[in-house]
Amino acid sequence: MKRWLRYVTITMLSVALTFTMIPVTGGGAYADSAEDPDSVPTSEAECESVPTDRYITPDMIPGSEPVQSDSAKSGAKSGTKSGEKSIKTIPTAVVVIGFNNMPYSNDYDWYKKLFDPMNSRSLRQYFTDMSYGQVAFVPVSETSRGGEGGNTTNTCDKVNDGIIHVNVDKDHKDWYTTDIDNIDNGKIMLRSFVQAANKAKNYVDVSDLDANGNGYLDEEELALVFIVAGYDYGSTEKKKDSDLYIRNHKSSIASLINKYSMASELALPRWNDKKLNPYVAISEKCETGTDVVQGRMSSLAHELGHHLGLKDLYDTGSETGPWKNYKVYRMSVMANGSWAKDSSGEYCPTSFDPWSRIKLGWTEPSTIQTGFNGLAAQDFDDPTIKNNILKVPKKSIYPYETGENKGEYYLIEVRRAEKWDEGISTNSTNWKTIDEKGGLVFWHIDDKVLAEYGGTKKINTSEHRPGVMPLY
C-alpha cells in the first residue's frame, strides 16, 4: 500500500504541474451558490481514485525527510494541537421575519437545527468540528417566546434559544435580482430588515457585547441572521410566485443604505445603543422535488463563512472563460458544498477546504521542508485532533521555479465521506470515487491570483487562473 501511495503521489503532483501551466480551453453582497450544481450540465471528465488508508506516513511522499517537528520533539502526538485553546463563542441572533403575504412557519424548530448541543448535525457542532474546537456560534440572550409579543404562532420559540420571530407590515417581493432591474424591491427588502431588527431589539440584551467599544456590534461580537419567510432562489424546483424568493447572501445594512441612496430615510438599527450593520440572510423554506422543507442550515454555514472573512470559491462570473471547466464543486462549503445531502437526504454542509481553514487560523499545515510525522483524516468525533494538512511548495518537486509560476504550492489532505462529508460523492454527479468513503485530495493554490483577486468575489472565476482548486 505504501509503495502504491508513493506512486500515486508522484503521478498526481506531475499532473499538478500541467495544471499550473496549461489552462483548459473551453458589491458588497456574497451569495450562496445560486443553483444546485447537479442540475447544471458539465463537461468535466469524471475523476476516479483508489481507496487510501486513513493515515499517510513520510516515506509515502517524494522528497520528504522524516524530520521531526518541534511538537514531535516535545512528545506531542502528530495531528494534535500542541496546546489547548479556549473556544471563541460568537453570539448569534436569529430574526425570523414574517410578511403580510408570506407568514413564517409555526412549527420550524430553528434552535434544534442551529444550536442544540444534543444535535450532532447542528450549525454549532459544524463550526466546532471545522475549527477543531476553537469557534462556535451560540444563541444570544433574548426573551422571545412562542405565543407572546410579536411571535404569534411559532410554538418552538423559547427564551434564550437565540431565535426571535417578528412580523413586518410589508409584502415579500422579488429579492433575487435587486441590484439590476428591481431596485424598488431591493429597497423594500432593506426596509423589512431594518424594521425587523428594530422590533427584535425589544427581546435582546447585547449591552456587554461591544468588546472594542466602537459603538458597533462587529462580526466577531455578534452574528445577525435574518431568516426570511419564503423560498430559496437557489433551488432548482422553483414552483412558487417569483415574489416569494430570496437569494441567500451576506451583506451589511450600511452598504445597502448607500447603494439605494436611503440615508435620509433609514439609519442603522440599534440594540442597547449599539449599532447593527453586518448581517446574513437565508430563506425559511427550500423546495426539493415535490416537497417543501425547512431552509438549508448548510447555506447558513456558507454565509457565516463570509461573516468570518472568506470569499466564494465557486465561479461568480460568466462561466464562459478559458478556465470554465475547473470547479471546486462540493469539495468545499464555500463552493457548492452547501447543496450536499447526508444519507437521510437532508441538506448537510461539506467541510471547509484546507486553504480556508488555514486562512481562518484554525490549523497550520505541515511542510515537506520541515518534515512531518503523518497525515491523518479529521476525526469528527474528536475535533481536537487536527487534520494534518501537508503543504508542498512547487519547487520541492519542480525546482526550476520562475517568476511566472512562483508563489504556487499544493495542499494535500485526507477526506473521508463521513458525517459532514457524506455528500461529497454519494450525492454528486461531478465527483466519482471507487472508494465512496473518500481518499486523498490534492489542492493547487496560487498566491499571485489570491493577491490580485483575494479581496474580491473572483478567486475562481473562469476568466483567469483559479486561486484555490482541487486537482483533476
Side-chain angles (χ1 to χ4, degrees):
M1 174 66 78
K2 290 183 178 181
R3 183 182 299 111
W4 181 88
L5 276 173
R6 184 182 181 90
Y7 171 77
V8 169
T9 304
I10 295 172
T11 303
M12 288 295 290
L13 290 176
S14 299
V15 173
L17 295 178
T18 304
F19 170 83
T20 62
M21 299 171 64
I22 304 174
V24 173
T25 303
Y30 292 88
D32 185 18
S33 180
E35 301 282 350
D36 183 342
D38 277 353
S39 67
V40 181
T42 177
S43 60
E44 285 80 354
E46 293 181 349
C47 298
E48 294 187 353
S49 64
V50 179
T52 72
D53 290 336
R54 293 184 66 94
Y55 197 77
I56 300 173
T57 54
D59 62 313
M60 300 177 187
I61 306 294
S64 172
E65 297 295 333
V67 179
Q68 286 188 320
S69 64
D70 291 339
S71 61
K73 292 176 182 177
S74 65
K77 181 182 178 181
S78 175
T80 64
K81 290 183 283 187
S82 57
E84 290 298 321
K85 295 182 179 180
S86 59
I87 189 167
K88 177 179 176 58
T89 57
I90 302 177
T92 306
V94 178
V95 182
V96 183
I97 309 174
F99 303 88
N100 295 333
N101 63 338
M102 187 66 196
Y104 52 71
S105 172
N106 62 6
D107 59 357
Y108 282 173
D109 190 344
W110 285 103
Y111 173 77
K112 181 177 180 180
K113 185 177 282 283
L114 303 183
F115 303 122
D116 189 349
M118 302 303 293
N119 179 11
S120 63
R121 296 300 184 99
S122 70
L123 178 87
R124 178 174 182 168
Q125 189 62 50
Y126 174 78
F127 276 93
T128 299
D129 288 350
M130 292 299 108
S131 66
Y132 313 104
Q134 297 173 72
V135 173
F137 289 88
V138 299
V140 72
S141 297
E142 48 79 27
T143 59
S144 170
R145 68 179 70 186
E148 295 186 10
N151 183 350
T152 56
T153 59
N154 187 281
T155 57
C156 298
D157 193 346
K158 304 293 190 297
V159 171
N160 286 332
D161 64 358
I163 315 298
I164 305 167
H165 287 78
V166 299
N167 291 292
V168 297
D169 188 18
K170 300 185 185 307
D171 282 347
H172 191 308
K173 293 292 185 179
D174 166 8
W175 290 337
Y176 56 89
T177 56
T178 54
D179 56 346
I180 303 174
D181 301 320
N182 295 305
I183 292 178
D184 288 341
N185 286 349
K187 291 180 178 181
I188 296 174
M189 181 184 75
L190 178 57
R191 292 187 188 110
S192 298
F193 288 169
V194 171
Q195 186 179 114
N198 285 333
K199 285 192 171 187
K201 73 178 179 181
N202 299 320
Y203 302 99
V204 297
D205 182 359
V206 295
S207 55
D208 60 343
L209 298 187
D210 184 16
N212 59 17
N214 67 354
Y216 290 80
L217 294 178
D218 302 316
E219 279 92 343
E220 68 275 12
E221 296 166 339
L222 178 76
L224 175 61
V225 177
F226 293 122
I227 295 182
V228 181
Y231 300 90
D232 187 342
Y233 176 72
S235 171
T236 59
E237 304 293 338
K238 293 184 280 290
K239 301 180 180 68
K240 308 297 180 182
D241 187 282
S242 62
D243 282 355
L244 301 177
Y245 289 98
I246 187 172
R247 188 184 297 274
N248 300 345
H249 66 279
K250 187 268 182 185
S251 189
S252 72
I253 297 172
S255 68
L256 294 185
I257 288 176
N258 180 66
K259 175 180 178 178
Y260 299 133
S261 302
M262 299 177 71
S264 60
E265 175 186 344
L266 296 177
L268 293 180
R270 292 173 181 260
W271 289 355
N272 297 113
D273 205 34
K274 311 299 180 183
K275 295 179 181 178
L276 305 180
N277 188 27
Y279 74 88
V280 301
I282 68 168
S283 67
E284 189 194 32
K285 301 176 186 292
C286 183
E287 295 161 288
T288 172
T290 58
D291 298 325
V292 174
V293 298
Q294 191 172 352
R296 290 180 293 137
M297 179 278 280
S298 53
S299 181
L300 182 53
H302 173 100
E303 301 306 338
L304 289 175
H306 291 315
H307 184 86
L308 294 173
L310 297 175
K311 301 297 190 293
D312 288 315
L313 294 184
Y314 63 86
D315 189 346
T316 60
S318 62
E319 299 192 4
T320 58
W323 295 90
K324 66 180 181 179
N325 288 332
Y326 286 98
K327 300 184 187 300
V328 175
Y329 288 118
R330 297 184 178 181
M331 296 306 293
S332 175
V333 72
M334 297 313 296
N336 299 107
S338 65
W339 284 103
K341 294 180 180 179
D342 61 22
S343 57
S344 70
E346 184 173 352
Y347 287 113
C348 183
T350 59
S351 296
F352 283 95
D353 58 280
W355 175 79
S356 292
R357 281 177 275 152
I358 293 169
K359 181 177 175 62
L360 290 175
W362 291 344
T363 188
E364 289 292 336
S366 300
T367 64
I368 277 186
Q369 293 104 319
T370 59
F372 72 105
N373 298 318
L375 190 63
Q378 182 175 353
D379 185 351
F380 290 122
D381 293 326
D382 185 357
T384 64
I385 305 279
K386 284 197 172 184
N387 183 5
N388 195 3
I389 300 162
L390 178 63
K391 180 178 180 179
V392 185
K394 192 161 182 278
K395 63 183 179 181
S396 295
I397 42 95
Y398 188 71
Y400 308 106
E401 191 171 38
T402 66
E404 180 180 353
N405 51 39
K406 194 171 183 179
E408 300 172 38
Y409 60 93
Y410 308 98
L411 295 175
I412 304 176
E413 64 172 346
V414 180
R415 292 282 284 274
R416 307 294 294 177
E418 301 169 348
K419 194 175 181 179
W420 303 115
D421 280 340
E422 274 188 275
I424 285 179
S425 60
T426 55
N427 301 117
S428 177
T429 59
N430 301 309
W431 291 92
K432 295 293 183 182
T433 60
I434 294 175
D435 179 8
E436 289 193 354
K437 292 184 177 180
L440 289 169
V441 184
F442 294 71
W443 294 79
H444 173 260
I445 313 298
D446 193 327
D447 278 344
K448 298 186 305 301
V449 172
L450 292 171
E452 184 172 357
Y453 298 100
T456 71
K457 296 184 287 183
K458 298 182 178 182
I459 290 178
N460 285 340
T461 53
S462 56
E463 290 83 4
H464 60 76
R465 287 158 54 105
V468 177
M469 187 62 56
L471 305 187
Y472 293 86

